Amino acid sequence: MKKIWWKEAVAYQVYPRSFKDSNGDGIGDINGVTSKLDYIKDLGIDVIWLSPVYKSPNDDNGYDISDYQDIMAEFGTMEDFDRLLAEVHARGMKLIIDLVINHTSDEHPWFVESKSSKDNPKRDWYIWSDDPTNWESIFGGSAWEYDKETKQYYLHLFSKKQPDLNWENQEVRKALFDMVNWWLDKGIDGFRVDAISHIKKDLTDVFDPEQKLYAPAWEKMMNVKGIQPLLAELRDRTLANRDIMTVGEANGVHVGDIEEWIGEKDGKFNMVFQFESLGLWDTDERTGINVPKLKEVLTRWQKGVEGKGWNALFIENHDKPRVVSTWGNDKEYWRESATAIACMYFFMQGTPFIYQGQEIGMTNAPFAELDHYNDIQTHNLYHNNLAGGMAHEAIMTLLGAKSRDHSRTPMQWDASFNAGFTDAWPWLMINPNHNKINVAAQQQDPRSVLSFYKQMIWLRKQMAVLVYGTYELYDVGHEAVYAYTREDENEKVLVVSNLAQFACDWDAPEDATLLLANYEDMDSTQLLPYEARVYKLTK
Ligand code: GLC
Ligand code: CA
């Protein structure tokens, strides 16, 4: 087995706005991240993925970029970024950054020019049309915005302040590739590539008055035929022949597509974030997780990618509510469910990603009013549902389960008034449970969620089988228990997680050594609610 650093790495996602405020304006910033690098290193992290810090008017919190080669003033300066990069490297870690190239901000000079007149040389850098289609934006409403001055519509798959770039235009690609190489030359260690399965559009649709006014058009704007040559050009002109790590955000990419996306021969990225297990969240978020479905999806990816590419493992990010509140039980079994779900995904074959706060079991927040939410998608969801006739209370309940802001509340460093995040009024409410759930309290406690994460990371680094070994689903005769083995020539490990809030019968394997557990007193005939264990089996 060829050893590859990004396969052995454990990655940690930082959402800078909510991580640590260094200058008392209530907004997390780059120097704040730098000040917490020892914490991240101590956790055992090898790679940090930093969500966007580029210059941006913040319509979508930095995912709407107005200058790719400058830093958002609220976050600091390019010197701050360079220092962050140097400090990450000084600690033996790597830094990958978000690459948002499906769209820019409408305040990007390219779009300002493009919009200025129909015959501007950059008109064709974005997607303009006389006839909009019925496409719905991913953030709700029409995906087309009318420009009164030039009397045409432009396409925006996300917010109307995020116009889509026209990847069919060679000059656009060249400008993007130059920018990507500029960052790589600076010495960053790779990219998480945002919304990359959307860069190719099938624009043959026409407006259909018989259809719903706006309808999702996934098959026309996600992993569309013809996307591969564009991705290959991105790879060949920027990413290739560099010792970097790339992970594409790949909605609509299925196991059958992996040779082209992440295959060792013809892949365009090292790995992708697949969306199939995220789909389970949307349907099951208020009833816990459907374990049989989860097993089916994750096993399909584990076996489908094996020997061909590499998986990115994750259960949280800045676009989803907190996993302990959706898949787990953030009340009676908060610690147990946070650790059992962690154990379930962390030891699969792939590179594990941890989203900030996940390692201390941060939960969804009790947002009481619409005004307490910040996220554009959340506000659009509210207004579109209201217009559609849904009652205020019902929408608030929906947002209480689903909003992206649940994962964006500030990091809970300690029990003090502002959770050690800031001295000022925070940009987004701090979860009141920070008096119990916080880093400082958990660092002292060997049984905390944080200590469990440290043990998992430590264990993965001790055993090559946990990185490179093959995965097999292991049937313990109970639907709610997710069990699997990892095996290589030398070793075999069994990972068992009861993902239900009731006890399950089970037979502990004989001749097995316990490596890790989230309960202290263990029974060999049953698993308690959300009990998780990792065993080394004799081969
Ligand atoms: C990705 C990001 C999300 C953002 C969207 C548009 O899905 O993860 O936060 O809103 O792309 O850039
Ligand atoms: Ca700040």
Side-chain angles (χ1 to χ4, degrees):
M1 189 55 86
K2 197 172 149 231
K3 285 172 69 76
I4 295 180
W5 66 264
W6 47 259
K7 292 188 174 176
E8 298 183 8
V10 177
Y12 186 86
Q13 182 191 353
V14 170
Y15 192 72
R17 208 173 181 77
S18 303
F19 197 57
K20 173 71 186 168
D21 173 22
S22 73
N23 62 347
D25 63 357
I27 299 171
D29 45 52
I30 292 175
N31 288 341
V33 180
T34 308
S35 74
K36 291 294 186 183
L37 289 178
D38 288 334
Y39 166 77
I40 298 174
K41 176 74 187 172
D42 179 57
L43 185 57
I45 298 303
D46 308 289
V47 176
I48 297 173
W49 152 24
L50 186 65
S51 278
V53 295
Y54 310 89
K55 191 167 172 208
S56 160
N58 264 318
D59 186 54
D60 185 20
N61 283 349
Y63 283 89
D64 49 319
I65 296 170
S66 55
D67 187 341
Y68 285 106
Q69 277 154 277
D70 200 356
I71 301 289
M72 190 192 304
E74 288 171 336
F75 285 170
T77 62
M78 193 58 83
E79 287 69 46
D80 296 335
F81 179 87
D82 292 341
R83 190 165 51 244
L84 170 66
L85 181 59
E87 292 291 327
V88 168
H89 287 162
R91 285 167 181 76
M93 295 188 287
K94 311 246 186 196
L95 184 68
I96 69 172
I97 63 174
D98 233 296
L99 184 62
V100 189
I101 47 180
N102 173 68
H103 46 267
T104 67
S105 163
D106 65 339
E107 297 180 33
H108 194 293
W110 297 344
F111 188 74
V112 173
E113 271 195 56
S114 179
K115 193 177 173 220
S116 66
S117 81
K118 267 181 160 165
D119 44 36
N120 184 279
K122 290 207 169 56
R123 183 65 168 184
D124 189 46
W125 281 40
Y126 293 83
I127 301 166
W128 290 95
S129 169
D130 295 322
D131 312 296
T133 62
N134 305 71
W135 294 11
E136 180 175 56
S137 146
I138 294 171
F139 286 173
S142 173
W144 296 94
E145 181 72 8
Y146 188 60
D147 172 49
K148 283 200 207 95
E149 303 297 315
T150 59
K151 301 194 172 53
Q152 278 192 315
Y153 296 82
Y154 67 85
L155 180 70
H156 60 90
L157 294 183
F158 295 91
S159 102
K160 59 180 175 223
K161 284 183 68 62
Q162 293 169 299
D164 282 55
L165 283 160
N166 179 12
W167 271 73
E168 309 299 329
N169 181 311
Q170 197 185 318
E171 289 172 27
V172 168
R173 300 200 299 276
K174 166 135 190 359
L176 291 174
F177 299 158
D178 286 348
M179 176 276 290
V180 171
N181 284 322
W182 183 85
W183 279 101
L184 287 169
D185 291 343
K186 212 182 221 309
I188 60 148
D189 304 292
F191 296 105
R192 176 266 188 184
V193 192
D194 186 74
I196 195 65
S197 58
H198 297 298
I199 60 171
K200 175 87 184 176
K201 282 93 178 168
D202 173 354
L203 288 163
T204 53
D205 267 6
V206 288
F207 184 76
D208 179 354
E210 301 292 305
Q211 249 196 57
K212 242 180 94 185
L213 195 49
Y214 316 126
W218 297 107
E219 67 290 352
K220 300 293 169 84
M221 50 73 141
M222 187 173 76
N223 199 15
V224 169
K225 196 164 178 298
I227 194 173
Q228 289 302 326
L230 299 176
L231 297 176
E233 201 179 323
L234 169 67
R235 175 196 60 195
D236 297 342
R237 291 178 54 184
T238 64
L239 313 172
N241 307 317
R242 306 237 195 191
D243 185 22
I244 57 170
M245 159 172 162
T246 55
V247 45
E249 190 200 22
N251 199 357
V253 173
H254 301 288
V255 176
D257 309 316
I258 61 138
E259 300 272 8
E260 291 185 303
W261 278 85
I262 54 170
E264 267 156 28
K265 278 195 208 74
D266 194 31
K268 315 302 181 295
F269 303 107
N270 298 138
M271 37 193 145
V272 289
F273 289 123
Q274 52 88 7
F275 271 57
E276 289 182 58
S277 36
L278 291 182
L280 305 180
W281 244 299
D282 292 333
T283 47
D284 297 312
E285 61 208 343
R286 265 161 289 171
T287 51
I289 176 67
N290 179 336
V291 185
K293 229 153 75 184
L294 182 70
K295 286 185 208 173
E296 189 274 312
V297 170
L298 294 181
T299 302
R300 185 150 38 77
W301 277 86
Q302 286 289 302
K303 299 314 284 180
V305 170
E306 187 182 301
K308 297 193 186 124
W310 197 248
N311 274 297
L313 311 171
F314 72 106
I315 50 174
E316 285 198 3
N317 62 35
H318 64 293
D319 291 331
K320 284 285 153 186
R322 290 290 184 175
V323 73
V324 67
S325 301
T326 51
W327 287 6
N329 176 334
D330 63 10
K331 297 188 177 65
E332 296 92 332
Y333 295 107
W334 166 73
R335 190 190 66 83
E336 292 79 3
S337 62
T339 48
I341 295 167
C343 195
M344 177 276 297
Y345 94 105
F346 194 85
F347 294 113
M348 292 185 184
Q349 192 187 62
T351 299
F353 284 74
I354 298 168
Y355 175 67
Q356 70 183 42
Q358 177 191 324
E359 78 279 19
I360 56 168
M362 278 177 63
T363 69
N364 281 359
F367 294 103
E369 287 165 39
L370 182 63
D371 280 358
H372 295 170
Y373 289 102
N374 164 274
D375 171 33
I376 169 124
Q377 187 185 38
T378 304
H379 282 271
N380 287 356
L381 198 64
Y382 180 88
H383 293 294
N384 293 330
N385 277 319
L386 199 67
M390 198 167 164
H392 167 83
E393 280 72 30
I395 312 176
M396 292 305 287
T397 306
L398 181 74
L399 303 186
K402 228 183 148 98
S403 169
R404 304 196 296 181
D405 277 338
H406 290 295
S407 56
R408 298 177 180 187
T409 62
M411 181 72 183
Q412 296 167 200
W413 295 105
D414 60 38
S416 68
F417 185 66
N418 277 331
F421 165 70
T422 181
D423 304 327
W425 192 254
W427 74 277
L428 186 66
M429 79 174 253
I430 292 176
N431 195 320
N433 68 16
H434 76 273
N435 59 349
K436 291 212 187 66
I437 301 176
N438 65 69
V439 170
Q442 296 193 26
Q443 256 164 341
Q444 309 309 321
D445 175 4
R447 295 192 65 241
S448 65
V449 179
L450 180 60
S451 296
F452 191 82
Y453 267 89
K454 285 188 189 171
Q455 290 171 48
M456 289 199 303
I457 296 169
W458 181 85
L459 190 61
R460 190 176 181 278
K461 289 186 195 302
Q462 303 312 303
M463 302 180 80
V465 64
L466 292 177
V467 177
Y468 297 107
T470 53
Y471 162 105
E472 266 342 306
L473 192 64
Y474 184 92
D475 186 11
V476 298
H478 205 294
E479 273 203 335
V481 177
Y482 197 145
Y484 57 91
T485 56
R486 299 293 307 280
E487 183 168 13
D488 63 14
E489 316 78 69
N490 310 313
E491 290 180 306
K492 186 166 182 178
V493 171
L494 172 65
V495 181
V496 190
S497 309
N498 177 9
L499 299 180
Q501 44 190 315
F502 45 79
C504 299
D505 289 341
W506 104 293
D507 286 319
E510 282 166 29
D511 280 346
T513 317
L514 188 72
L515 298 172
L516 183 66
N518 67 346
Y519 272 78
E520 269 175 339
D521 297 319
M522 269 156 287
D523 186 322
S524 59
T525 62
Q526 65 167 351
L527 293 168
L528 293 174
Y530 296 107
E531 179 165 1
R533 303 180 195 179
V534 180
Y535 287 102
K536 183 173 182 315
L537 304 180
T538 37
K539 267 194 57 117

